[in-house]
Amino acid sequence: MISPILTVSQSDAPHSLASALEDGAVLLFPDLAFPFSDFERRFVERPFADGKAKNVNIRGENAELRGAAGTPEEQEALRQLLLRYRGFAQGIVDRYLPDYIGRVSLAGTSYRPFDVDKRKLSWRRDDTRLHVDAFPSNPIGEKRILRVFRNINPSGQPRRWRVGEDFGSMAEKFLPKLPGYSPLSARLLAALRITKARRSEYDHLMLHLHDALKQDEAYQAGGPQADVNFLPGQTWVTFSDLVMHGAMGGQYMLEQTAYLPVAAQADPAKSPQRILAAKLGRPLL
């Protein structure tokens, strides 16, 4: 089954959408307001980025701006815009995912001003390829990756995605091909500070799933998938560690990453951690 797109209108009676999200849906909010000031509109007239990375972001308690270009005044305005978007994303969680209130921790907030199609990247970094999210240097263990995206393109250009089949069906195809997990190797990577913490077996499997999916040209071309266009002004929310996705095109987007403990889910059995364990027939190390 292809990951479904569930449209949620502000006129709908508020209720928790956690179950649908955990089932692998992408929640689409077509009419949430996030206006730009006259000064802020410059950020969608040209990319305010130094070009050294694919996006500009704020992280940590100090919300230091990284990767931006422009005058000090413009960079501070962009930082404030990202802080405001962080609050916007938190508001979506509070209203539509009340099961997660107090359990979600917000991480990086990014401004993505470049056209996806124009970035020349290696296959591993090529996000046009179907993949699930996994972070090589930042093991997450018993946490989920929740993301809130918004298309802020000023000229009507959609953010073009494709979504793949459900996580369990994909895992059945690729798990037998993955290398085994080495606790010793995981401890060594952490000791050498190559990773920020010790990789769990889950982190190991997700990294190799990410790479195996992107490398498999036949699956990329012929695997179950569907195209989705997110229009300017639309916001979408998904567990990007569960929903296979590829960003095919579009310029100017805002994104918020958040973490949720597996134990805080409405149904932890729906997490990729538990799905992988069920497919293997044993708890993950």
Side-chain angles (χ1 to χ4, degrees), residues 251-269:
Q251 185 176 14
Y252 296 113
M253 184 179 74
L254 296 176
E255 177 272 338
Q256 176 66 56
T257 296
Y259 297 126
L260 176 78
V262 171
Q265 287 191 215
D267 184 357

Side-chain angles (χ1 to χ4, degrees), residues 37-257:
S37 70
D38 290 341
F39 189 91
E40 289 170 340
R41 289 194 183 98
R42 69 191 63 202
F43 301 131
V44 294
E45 293 172 353
R46 66 176 178 86
F48 278 75
D50 62 17
K52 297 178 182 178
K54 65 182 180 181
N55 57 61
V56 176
N57 62 73
I58 56 172
R59 295 178 184 274
E61 293 182 2
N62 295 329
E64 178 184 355
L65 188 67
R66 301 178 182 181
T71 67
E73 179 187 18
E74 288 168 331
Q75 291 195 35
E76 178 57 23
L78 180 53
R79 191 179 80 89
Q80 291 298 325
L81 174 65
L82 290 176
L83 284 170
R84 188 157 60 85
Y85 185 71
R86 179 185 288 181
F88 171 81
Q90 181 67 64
I92 291 175
V93 172
D94 292 347
R95 179 174 182 184
Y96 296 100
L97 301 167
D99 311 59
Y100 299 163
I101 292 177
R103 308 303 300 275
V104 165
S105 58
L106 299 184
T109 313
S110 64
Y111 157 71
R112 303 186 175 197
F114 297 116
D115 191 321
V116 171
D117 287 335
K118 295 179 180 178
R119 292 186 285 113
K120 305 298 183 183
L121 301 170
S122 68
W123 64 263
R124 184 175 279 111
R125 296 182 62 213
D126 182 1
D127 287 341
T128 67
R129 299 180 182 229
L130 282 171
H131 63 283
V132 286
D133 283 350
F135 303 140
S137 64
N138 187 22
I140 63 169
E142 282 289 291
K143 291 183 290 186
R144 302 295 312 283
I145 303 172
L146 179 68
R147 285 189 143 155
V148 181
F149 303 92
R150 185 176 179 88
N151 185 349
I152 57 170
N153 188 278
S155 58
Q157 184 181 14
R159 192 76 175 183
R160 295 188 294 110
W161 266 30
R162 54 179 173 150
V163 294
E165 65 182 322
D166 66 278
F167 185 89
S169 297
M170 177 275 292
E172 286 182 0
K173 296 180 177 77
F174 284 90
L175 265 179
K177 308 175 185 179
L178 304 185
Y181 172 66
S182 168
L184 178 61
S185 176
R187 288 195 296 270
L188 181 60
L189 289 171
L192 295 174
R193 297 187 178 179
I194 295 172
T195 59
K196 295 178 181 178
R198 184 184 66 83
R199 277 182 191 163
S200 65
E201 186 177 16
Y202 168 73
D203 295 303
H204 167 86
L205 292 172
M206 288 295 284
L207 284 170
H208 284 284
L209 279 174
H210 173 278
D211 289 357
L213 282 164
K214 284 191 173 182
Q215 275 188 302
D216 192 323
E217 298 288 355
Y219 188 81
Q220 291 292 327
Q225 57 190 276
D227 295 331
V228 186
N229 285 340
F230 298 106
L231 302 178
Q234 292 186 336
T235 304
W236 61 105
V237 182
T238 196
F239 279 119
S240 62
D241 52 2
L242 183 71
V243 173
M244 281 197 297
H245 58 286
M248 307 308 295
Q251 185 176 14
Y252 296 113
M253 184 179 74
L254 296 176
E255 177 272 338
Q256 176 66 56
T257 296

